[in-house]
């Protein structure tokens, strides 16, 4: 019999509390009551069923798989699609990982993105048109959730810098603020009134223009699964996963630093920068190691999730900022 003893750098899984546990406890104390109504329980869904509507699949299928960009070598095996597609954070559909079935209620076509704020001229961007204006490529990226688990995904998409150029921001724009859809009828998790819907995230213009910042429209060689944030989500591989906002409907340019969803919920624990750093623990657990999704391995976490050569320069001379929360 093999008895596994944790080594020094291993942490008990229970120490990494899922983001909701603490909050639901708090909501209970506040007397919010019907949490069950918000937590839509869905069974895991086979990946091939993930695109429920035929038109959504066929119209976009021709863009995938994008040509693989060999610059981004993850150094780890790709997380199996069926595992990844059944283990998601998407609070709009419930505050647990098994939201894949519930997320199939999301209608992703037609889909529009409002571009506004400090731009030459605000406009509505239709997602089908957007796909025609960009060039889709595939990148293998590591993703590190703040809850200390990680995955490796073959995303398809295009650089965020291309979206910024299409938006034609004014020189006064300093930040990009993004929003997820709100539809309580579709996304039952949004009935949880103690969360500050819509989900909001933001980055600086320099971060948005960085080569790594990737607008994701596909995964595993197909149009994006709904549970991954279809039809378009962000991925910032050097930051904790919560920065990578899903199902984006609005992109605004602003001179004020946006306050993100998790910062609003719990500013002591989730900051604006949220760069990965194994040496800066979350107030309630260590960030030193991560559980690799689909394996029983724990591996050491790396600063900037191993993407320092691309991004560390962005944070030089930013003393006094909480860069790693
Ligand atoms: N709109 C929205 N975006 C979101 C989230 C969310 O709950 N809602 N969760 C974030 C978190 S915490 C993580 S780890 C990733 C998870 O992405 P995945 O489900 O594709 O693994 O999405 C991020 N983007
Ligand atoms: Mo996360």
């Amino acid at each position: 019999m093999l008895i596994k003893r944790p080594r020094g750098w291993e942490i008990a899984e229970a120490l990494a509390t899922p983001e909701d546990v603490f909050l639901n406890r708090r909501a209970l104390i506040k007397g919010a009551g019907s949490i069950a109504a918000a937590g839509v329980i869905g069974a895991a869904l086979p990946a091939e069923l993930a695109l429920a509507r035929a038109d959504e699949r066929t119209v976009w299928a021709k863009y995938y798989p994008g040509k693989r960009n060999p610059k981004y070598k993850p150094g780890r095996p790709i997380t199996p699609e069926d595992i990844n597609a059944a283990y998601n954070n998407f609070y709009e559909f419930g505050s647990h990982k098994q939201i894949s079935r519930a997320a199939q209620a999301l209608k992703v076509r037609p889909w529009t993105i409002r571009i506004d704020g400090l731009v030459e001229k605000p406009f509505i961007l239709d997602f089908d048109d957007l796909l025609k204006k960009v060039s889709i490529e595939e990148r293998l990226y590591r993703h590190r959730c703040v809850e200390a688990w990680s995955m490796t995904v073959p995303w398809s998409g295009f650089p965020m810098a291309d979206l910024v150029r299409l938006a034609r921001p004014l020189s006064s724009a300093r930040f990009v603020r993004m929003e997820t859809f709100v539809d309580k009828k579709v996304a039952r998790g949004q009935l949880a009134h103690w969360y500050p819907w819509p989900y909001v995230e933001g980055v600086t213009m320099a971060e948005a223009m960085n080569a790594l910042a990737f607008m994701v429209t596909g995964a595993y060689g197909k149009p994006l699964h709904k549970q991954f944030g279809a039809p378009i989500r962000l991925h910032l591989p050097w930051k904790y996963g919560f920065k990578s906002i899903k199902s984006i409907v609005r992109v605004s340019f602003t001179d004020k630093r946006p306050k993100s969803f998790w910062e609003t919920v719990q500013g002591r624990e989730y900051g604006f920068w949220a760069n990965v750093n194994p040496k800066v623990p979350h107030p309630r657990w260590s960030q030193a190691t991560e559980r690799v999704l689909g394996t029983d391995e724990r591996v050491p976490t790396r600063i900037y999730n191993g993407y320092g050569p691309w991004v560390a320069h962005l944070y030089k001379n930013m003393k006094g900022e909480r860069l790693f929360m």
Side-chain angles (χ1 to χ4, degrees), residues 38-97:
V40 182
I41 309 298
L45 193 80
E48 66 276 14
L49 295 181
L51 288 157
R53 284 177 27 156
D55 67 318
E56 293 165 353
R57 186 169 31 224
T58 51
V59 171
W60 298 330
K62 61 174 179 282
Y63 296 101
Y64 308 95
K67 190 170 183 292
R68 182 168 296 178
N69 186 330
K71 249 191 280 175
Y72 305 100
K73 298 198 173 43
R76 278 185 204 167
I78 289 172
T79 307
E81 181 180 2
D82 56 343
I83 291 174
N84 199 2
Y87 187 91
N88 305 96
N89 270 336
F90 202 167
Y91 276 59
E92 283 81 348
F93 294 99
S95 55
H96 51 85
K97 303 289 185 280

Side-chain angles (χ1 to χ4, degrees), residues 88-92 143 151 180 199 228 233 241 244 246:
N88 305 96
N89 270 336
F90 202 167
Y91 276 59
E92 283 81 348
H143 173 105
M151 60 184 184
T180 298
Y199 198 99
F228 291 151
R233 60 94 59 90
S244 294
K246 296 179 167 185

Side-chain angles (χ1 to χ4, degrees), residues 13-22 25 147 270 282 284-285:
E13 183 74 359
L15 287 179
T17 318
E19 283 148 6
D20 69 296
V21 171
F22 176 78
R25 205 183 296 137
E147 298 164 338
Y270 308 103
H282 182 278
R284 289 179 285 127
W285 60 81

